[in-house]
Amino acid sequence: MAEQVPAGRPTLEAVAARAGVSRATASRVVNGGDGVRAHLVDKVRAAIVDLGYVPNHAARTLVTRRTGAVAVIIAEPEIRIFSDPFFSRQVRGISKELTAHDTQLVLLLVEHRGDYDRIERYLAGGHVDGALAFSLHTDDPLPAITHRIGMPTVYGGRPGWTGQADGAAPYGPLSYVDADNRGGAREAVRYLLSRGRRQIAHIAGPLDQTSATDRLDGYRDVLLDADPALVAEGDFTAAGGARAMAELLERCPDLDAVFAANDLMATGALGVLRERGRSVPQDVALVGFDDAELVAEGTDPPLTTVRQDIEGMGRLMVRLLLRSLDPALGSHRVPGSVITPTSLVVRGSA
């Protein structure tokens, strides 16, 4: 006759009895502790499956001092986050990696400046083990907040906040994952030059973000004597790209190429060029940045762009953070930073 499963919610004691081990041994297996022989681990895990045991989260937190959750903080208003595929791809990579490590994602959005008070209270309340933050601006208070409350944090994007130089801030070094924005921009501009383009304009992103300034610097690295009138600032949105493109055509009607700092701005620029009777790429070659899902290949013509591994960067952020939570590395130590490579994807727009 099959063994009966105890009525009600299975307890840790029931798991231990089913596996034939002590409660302490069962607890170490459930909480990921070391020092349990492999065959006993197998027995405990089999008992968990047989009984349908679900650990008590509150009790587990008391034992491990871990919540099993990580905050993902995006310093942009909701309308930008849900309209820009960059954010969905990065969160997808983060979610996949957290799921692989049985860790919950808690999404925190910054709609207004006052939201930082709410975020600080939440982080300080012990609800999460660490934080991942991206799309920060130069005056963002988040690095100071996480330092003040001792929250292990990994940033998406090269640090460049007020008071920081050479990767160090007044409150200590910051760990981050970023793409080679400057190198990717150089590759894009060199490609346009190789195609015989000479009046190459740049639609920059918001210059209070390091990704935008790095891409502008890459453009200037190649075009040392570029006319400042060939640069217009956008805001990483299609509407911002359209406004910047109109501005550039007013200033420099003979431009023959545009490098936009992201794909959404490139799509906005493409629409304005079409309205003004400029064919792409015959009259004006166009290059974007990101290789954003459903954007770069969905334009007509398809967009030549600089590809960055957005989802992969999200995964790397999680790996760095989880390393920081490893007790063997010491309390709140966040190790290392990573710059990921970019590559030019040539399509019909250039």
Side-chain angles (χ1 to χ4, degrees), residues 212-230:
T213 57
D214 285 350
R215 292 169 198 179
L216 175 58
D217 287 343
Y219 166 85
R220 289 172 169 164
D221 288 344
V222 179
L223 301 175
L224 297 174
D225 57 351
D227 184 345
L230 284 166

Side-chain angles (χ1 to χ4, degrees), residues 203-204 232-250 258 260 262-276 286:
I203 299 177
E233 185 176 348
D235 59 1
F236 283 147
T237 69
R243 288 192 297 269
M245 189 71 254
E247 183 181 331
L248 288 168
L249 288 172
E250 290 297 320
V258 177
N262 82 334
D263 290 347
L264 282 181
M265 292 196 299
T267 64
L270 181 60
V272 171
L273 289 168
R274 188 168 288 141
E275 289 170 4
R276 302 293 179 88
L286 181 62

Side-chain angles (χ1 to χ4, degrees), residues 6-349:
R9 178 174 175 169
T11 64
L12 185 61
E13 288 77 6
V15 170
R18 173 67 66 91
V21 300
S22 69
R23 186 187 187 283
T25 297
S27 177
R28 283 200 299 274
V29 174
V30 168
N31 293 310
D34 297 325
V36 181
R37 285 174 290 178
H39 76 282
L40 295 180
V41 170
D42 291 341
K43 285 186 175 182
V44 173
R45 288 176 176 169
I48 289 170
V49 172
D50 289 345
L51 296 173
Y53 173 75
V54 178
N56 181 293
H57 180 73
R60 184 173 181 177
T61 298
L62 288 173
V63 172
T64 64
R65 298 187 181 275
R66 295 275 294 276
T67 67
V70 165
V72 175
I73 306 167
I74 308 178
E76 297 289 353
E78 182 178 304
I79 191 169
R80 270 221 58 206
I81 292 165
F82 293 107
S83 62
D84 189 336
F86 175 90
F87 297 111
S88 63
R89 289 179 67 183
Q90 189 140 53
V91 171
R92 184 191 306 161
I94 289 169
S95 178
K96 286 181 177 178
E97 194 68 21
L98 287 174
T99 297
H101 290 87
D102 195 23
T103 301
Q104 181 66 40
L105 183 158
V106 179
L107 184 62
L108 303 176
L109 306 182
V110 180
E111 191 72 28
H112 306 288
R113 191 74 175 183
D115 287 339
Y116 283 106
D117 291 337
R118 168 181 57 82
I119 288 172
E120 180 170 6
R121 290 194 302 272
Y122 185 83
L123 296 179
H127 304 290
V128 294
D129 299 319
L132 304 168
F134 52 93
S135 202
L136 272 66
H137 301 257
T138 52
D139 62 347
D140 203 294
L142 190 60
I145 289 171
T146 57
H147 173 73
R148 183 163 57 246
I149 64 178
M151 174 64 62
T153 305
V154 175
Y155 294 90
R158 179 181 64 82
W161 300 290
T162 303
Q164 182 167 322
D166 300 325
Y171 28 80
L174 302 176
S175 184
Y176 65 93
V177 174
D178 202 358
D180 183 8
N181 293 299
R182 191 165 184 165
R186 286 195 293 258
E187 187 177 6
V189 177
R190 286 178 183 138
Y191 175 76
L192 290 169
L193 286 172
S194 76
R195 304 297 293 176
R197 308 294 173 159
R198 292 297 176 261
Q199 289 290 98
I200 303 172
H202 178 49
I203 299 177
L207 297 178
D208 63 346
Q209 292 188 290
T210 57
S211 58
T213 57
D214 285 350
R215 292 169 198 179
L216 175 58
D217 287 343
Y219 166 85
R220 289 172 169 164
D221 288 344
V222 179
L223 301 175
L224 297 174
D225 57 351
D227 184 345
L230 284 166
V231 176
E233 185 176 348
D235 59 1
F236 283 147
T237 69
R243 288 192 297 269
M245 189 71 254
E247 183 181 331
L248 288 168
L249 288 172
E250 290 297 320
R251 292 187 207 156
C252 309
D254 59 342
L255 62 84
D256 61 4
V258 177
F259 164 51
N262 82 334
D263 290 347
L264 282 181
M265 292 196 299
T267 64
L270 181 60
V272 171
L273 289 168
R274 188 168 288 141
E275 289 170 4
R276 302 293 179 88
R278 306 293 180 91
S279 62
V280 175
Q282 290 81 2
D283 298 329
V284 180
L286 181 62
V287 177
F289 201 112
D290 285 343
D291 197 22
E293 189 174 41
L294 303 179
V295 176
E297 294 186 47
T299 59
D300 181 19
L303 189 63
T304 292
T305 186
V306 178
R307 175 181 292 163
Q308 56 174 332
D309 185 2
I310 301 170
E311 191 170 320
M313 289 192 294
R315 284 183 173 272
L316 283 170
M317 289 173 67
V318 173
R319 291 170 193 163
L320 282 180
L321 182 64
L322 294 181
R323 281 176 55 197
S324 77
L325 300 175
D326 184 344
L329 296 177
S331 178
H332 294 173
R333 178 182 170 190
V334 181
S337 296
V338 179
I339 299 292
T340 62
T342 58
S343 59
L344 186 68
V345 180
V346 177
R347 299 192 181 98
S349 70

